[in-house]
Amino acid sequence: MLTENKFNKYLIYAVGEIILVVIGILIALQINNWNEKHKEGSEELKILSEIQSNLKQSFKETKSVLHQNETDLKRYIYLLNHVEQKLPYSVVLDTAFCRITSWASPYLTYTAYESLKSRGSKLLRNDTLRMQIINMFENEMTYLIKDWDKSEWRDSEAIVRPYYAKHFAENLDEVTAKPNNYNALIKDPEFTNLLRLVIVMRKWGNQSCESIIESMGALIESIENELIQRGYYKTNKW
């Protein structure tokens, strides 16, 4: 009986030790999980802040591009009207002539988004915000660069520049150009067709810029709200 009592006590003690060890392991795992989630949360907010910073740069860049291209578009339309009405040559046209082969290309910033992709987009807890960010970088920015900007390059290299090189002489100031024969130029339907092509292409680009500027602004605000709600920083209107 004494032996049996000792064994029972030992068994109870052993079970208690096992339970304590298990509890200790569970607590350690819970702490580790909490630390991992805290670490992931910190990484998530840091990447969100960096994406927002990149978007602000791209927002300003796109607005600058839009302003330049809108200015050129007005020049092209003025030039087209002048040519179609067969009005006499004027030196004020020289800037518009020089800008026929040029346009402002947006240089958008992707570094933070590439970092997110390497880490995994699931890092972002807010599903709606994650989809907005993916759509911005994978669709809207891609459309602006790969569709419109590449189309400008294609038409410029294939159509605009060859005609320009043949019929115009750039001044050394590189901001004006004169036609070799203005009277022949205004009678050439190829030139008016070329101007219309450039105008249509630039309108397309400007509309794309306007659309992405609006989307960027909304996304920047959405990220701002998420960072504030998550306590990353106090409001910081950009």
Side-chain angles (χ1 to χ4, degrees), residues 128-209:
T128 301
L129 188 58
R130 181 174 66 249
M131 294 309 298
Q132 287 177 331
I133 290 171
I134 290 173
N135 180 64
M136 171 58 66
F137 286 92
E138 298 290 345
N139 295 326
E140 295 195 55
M141 286 186 174
T142 299
Y143 175 81
L144 190 64
I145 299 300
K146 292 190 176 180
D147 288 349
W148 166 66
D149 195 46
K150 283 195 173 181
S151 294
E152 285 274 14
W153 278 105
R154 180 200 63 212
D155 289 351
S156 179
E157 293 299 312
I159 302 170
V160 182
R161 286 185 181 276
Y163 186 93
Y164 181 85
K166 184 177 179 180
H167 296 280
F168 292 89
E170 274 194 357
N171 292 325
L172 295 179
D173 58 16
E174 296 183 347
V175 294
T176 58
K178 293 183 182 295
N180 297 329
N181 187 333
Y182 178 76
N183 290 328
L185 188 73
I186 62 177
K187 297 175 183 177
D188 185 1
E190 185 178 355
F191 179 62
T192 53
N193 288 339
L194 180 147
L195 274 178
R196 289 191 181 95
L197 172 67
V198 172
I199 288 170
V200 169
M201 186 66 68
R202 204 57 46 86
K203 283 183 176 179
W204 173 28
N206 290 350
Q207 289 169 357
S208 299
C209 284

Side-chain angles (χ1 to χ4, degrees), residues 1-10:
M1 289 181 64
L2 288 174
T3 301
E4 185 177 346
N5 285 336
K6 286 182 179 180
F7 176 77
N8 288 338
K9 288 180 180 179
Y10 174 77

